[in-house]
Structure formats: C-alpha cells, structure tokens
Amino acid sequence: MSPPTSQAPALSASGRRSHLLLQLYSATGPCSLTQLAHQCGTDPATTQRDLAQLEAEIGTLYRLALRRREAEYRIEGNILSHRLCLFDGLRRALRLCPARVERDFTAALTQQWHTLPPALQFPPSRLTDALERLLPLLPVQRAESNRQFLTLWLHYLLLQCHRQQTPAFNQHQRQWLSQKQAYPAVQAAFRDWSLPASEVFGLTLLISQLKHPQPADPSSAADRRLSQAVERLISRFAQLSGKMFPQEGPLAEQLFFHLNTALERCHFHMGVDSSLQSEVEEKYPCLLRATRAAMIPLEAEYRIRFSRKEMGLIAVIFGAWLMQETDLQEKQVVILSQSEGEQERKLELQIRELTLLPLNIKFQSVTEFQARGAPKNTVLVITPFQMQLPLYSPPLLQVRIPLPQRQRIRDLLES
C-alpha cells in the first residue's frame, strides 16, 4: 500500500481532478471510492464531489462515461476518446501536480511495463531514438516538457498495444491525418516498431495537438488551404451581414488559429466547453445566423458539421472584431412592460433579430416610465401597448407584433 497521501501538499480542485483521472487510467482494474480517496489524499466526500465534476467534464469533452458498478468506478467509451481524454489530462497533471504524476502514474506504468513480454520492453536507447525524431516536430521552447510527456505516453501506448487496446480511425479521419506535415516523420520514427497502423495515426494526432495553434506555414498545403478558406469566410460574412472589416489581417489570423483547432475537434468528435453559448443564442441571434450562413461552404469543403457551441465561439470572434473595427458600443433599449409577459419577450426576440450589434435590453413598467422617464443613455423606447406619450427625447415607438417597422428600428439602432 502506498504511504498516506495526506502528507503531500494539498492540490487545487483542478489538480485533484487531474490526479484523480490519472488514478483511473493507471489502475489495472476498477477503483473503489475509498481507494481513490486514499490515493488522492482527500476524504471520500470530497472525492465523490470531484468524481461528479470529472464525470461532467469527460462526458462533455470526450463523450466518455464514468460508471459506478458494485461501488467501483470505471471510465467507459471508445478507445480513441480514452486516448484524447488522457492526452489532455496528463498534460494538465504534469503542469498542476507533477510530483503526484511521478509518484503514482509513472510508478504504475513502470510496474506494468515490467510485466510486458521481453519483445515489447524496448531498450531505453530505442525510446530515446524515437523521441529525438519526434521533438523537432514540436515547439523548441517546450522541448523538456514535451520530452517528459512523450516518454510517459510511449510507455502507455506500448502497454495498450499489448492489451490490444488500439484506437480506430474512420476513412475521413485517416485522410485528415495523412495530410499532416508530421505524418511522414511519425511513420519514419516508428517504422521498426511493428506498431498497428492506427497507432501511427494516433501519434500523428498527438503531435498535432502538442503543437498548439501556430501561424500559417506557407510551405504547408493544409495551412494554405485553411488560410484561403478563412479569406472566403470573412468575405461571405461581410456580404451576408452588410458589415465590412477595414483591416482583415488580424481577424483572419485569429480565425485561422481558432478554426485550426476547431476543425480538429470536429474531425475527432471532441467537445468544447463554452459558457457563452446560451448568451450568444439569446442575445445575438442575428450575428449567429449570419455566422452559420457564412460557414456553410467551409463546412462543405471540409466535410464536417460544427456543433452549436463551436458555431457560437466563431460568432463571438466575428462580433468582437465587428465592435472593434467600427467602434460600436452596446446600445441600451427599453421595452415598456405591463408584466414582462409573453408579448414583451416576443418583442425582445424580434428586436434582437434585427441587428448584429450588441443590445442591452431592459424592461420598464409603463407606470414608472410615465412618472420618471427611461434610464440614462437609452437610445430607443419601444412598447407593444397603446399609451399616452410623455414629452421624451429618445425615439419612442409603439409597435405591433410581429414588427411592421423593421427597417426604421434597425436604422435607429445602427445609427
């Protein structure tokens, strides 16, 4: 039994979950709550809460499930999803709790390594040779951390191969990976390893993930293709929205960085955690609609379909640059209300559908408005109710639903 982990420094919540994930991956069988709590140096109640949050994370990002059977826990899902989850979890753990990685995960891999058949226990020189072939493919400033990560990963990979736990890639995914610049180099590095072909694709994906977003490389056909697709995307968005970007270069660069990783996520069914999605859908429907329409040709070209969350993040990029380029500020609109009921909510939605611009829409009772007027900096007051109008400086419109004065309202909001 390992020594009590309570002597180890306390970890942050993120560090605890990272360590917990590695415990689940390095175990040779299901783990009980008591075992996990002991290894993590926490009480069972804390570990139970960490497990619940970990379950939500791996479900959202990797389509994995944390199953509890007979008081024991196991992560379930396809092998590729397992690999992607461990890839991110191990990198995060090496950053947040490196001592725990060395004490538990590395130690467990070493112990399991010695149980491999001699033919699979590659000598250190052979592992070193493979590392020296892979490291030039990665950013030089992170060479040492990449070396540490890849050393652990190759040991894990060989253990999984021995257990016949290798990932499966469909034809579309294999084609995507075979076009990577790193693919021939990975093939060469492991030509004498007798690895399944799928593991070479898996290592190519891993190298791609380790590289992080990089500026477009003119010598890369894939980068040139994406750069051209981004130029067409910006042009289509401008045509659909009627909004121009005087300086497209910085916007194109940000979209290239984002789409480079977003395309990878979509090809390999990885989720993305976006707390902005509900706000984008509720408050920026016109911006989101223009983004979706502009993205259709790019999706067709790459034969993928972006998720709602991915599309929302792309819309946020366009919205932020639209405000920056045109020096637009959030406009404040007041909807006069009797009860903030269905009529008023329908009116709010229709107003938001009229413009790409950010709107701060507030509800105000008719009584309060007639007594005090609208809040300061209000640019438009609008109401679905018939009422006597007080003397008031901002435009005030009485409307019906659906809105009959769309162009007039849009002109007032975008002036």
Side-chain angles (χ1 to χ4, degrees), residues 216 227 230-231 234 245-257 317 321 324-325:
S227 294
V230 166
E231 291 177 5
I234 294 173
F245 298 94
Q247 298 181 10
E248 292 186 2
L251 170 60
E253 185 176 89
Q254 185 174 358
L255 283 169
F256 176 88
F257 283 150
I317 293 174
W321 279 94
Q324 180 174 319
E325 290 280 334

Side-chain angles (χ1 to χ4, degrees), residues 121-364:
Q121 293 185 29
F122 291 170
S125 59
R126 198 169 183 187
L127 291 169
T128 300
D129 180 64
L131 287 173
E132 296 306 323
R133 289 170 177 263
L134 293 179
L135 287 172
L137 305 174
L138 300 169
V140 66
Q141 63 269 28
R142 291 191 295 273
E144 196 53 43
S145 62
N146 286 335
R147 181 186 296 274
Q148 182 184 13
F149 172 83
L150 286 170
T151 300
L152 289 171
W153 190 264
L154 290 178
H155 281 84
Y156 177 81
L157 181 151
L158 290 172
L159 284 165
Q160 293 301 101
C161 286
H162 174 61
R163 296 163 183 160
Q164 298 184 336
Q165 297 291 308
T166 57
F169 295 90
N170 61 38
Q171 183 178 358
H172 186 47
Q173 292 168 333
R174 291 195 298 270
Q175 182 180 6
W176 173 261
L177 291 169
S178 64
Q179 294 172 352
K180 297 278 187 183
Q181 277 188 309
Y183 181 64
V186 174
Q187 280 184 309
F190 295 96
R191 182 172 290 118
D192 300 327
W193 281 52
S194 300
L195 290 178
S198 63
E199 292 293 2
V200 176
F201 285 118
L203 284 163
T204 303
L205 176 58
L206 178 141
I207 293 297
S208 177
Q209 296 282 295
L210 281 174
K211 286 179 69 174
H212 297 286
Q214 301 290 316
D217 182 354
S219 66
S220 167
D223 283 5
R224 291 197 304 271
R225 177 191 181 192
L226 181 56
S227 294
Q228 293 164 4
V230 166
E231 291 177 5
R232 293 191 294 270
L233 171 63
I234 294 173
S235 177
R236 285 193 299 273
F237 182 89
Q239 292 171 1
L240 290 165
S241 65
K243 306 294 181 183
M244 302 301 295
F245 298 94
Q247 298 181 10
E248 292 186 2
L251 170 60
E253 185 176 89
Q254 185 174 358
L255 283 169
F256 176 88
F257 283 150
H258 180 82
L259 288 171
N260 208 358
T261 55
L263 283 167
E264 198 109 290
R265 287 194 295 266
C266 290
H267 274 90
F268 299 99
H269 311 297
M270 291 182 277
V272 62
D273 189 9
S274 173
S275 58
L276 298 172
Q277 186 59 31
S278 59
E279 182 178 355
V280 171
E281 291 181 349
E282 178 185 353
K283 296 186 177 181
Y284 305 96
C286 188
L287 174 65
L288 188 56
R289 187 169 59 250
T291 302
R292 283 177 177 147
M295 286 289 292
I296 289 173
L298 189 146
E299 288 182 311
E301 178 180 349
Y302 283 93
R303 294 192 297 153
I304 53 95
R305 185 64 177 250
F306 284 95
S307 67
R308 288 172 51 238
K309 287 184 178 180
E310 293 285 6
M311 199 66 74
L313 291 174
I314 298 166
V316 167
I317 293 174
F318 273 119
W321 279 94
L322 187 65
M323 292 179 66
Q324 180 174 319
E325 290 280 334
T326 55
D327 195 28
L328 296 171
Q329 301 299 320
E330 190 174 63
K331 300 291 182 71
Q332 179 162 298
V333 177
V334 167
I335 296 178
L336 298 184
S337 168
Q338 292 182 342
S339 61
E340 291 190 30
E342 184 177 353
Q343 280 273 90
E344 294 93 322
R345 293 298 179 187
K346 285 182 179 178
L347 181 56
E348 178 187 6
L349 178 60
Q350 292 187 31
I351 292 172
R352 292 192 184 281
E353 289 280 3
L354 293 178
T355 179
L356 281 76
L357 305 187
L359 300 177
N360 179 15
I361 297 181
K362 296 183 177 180
F363 292 91
Q364 185 180 23

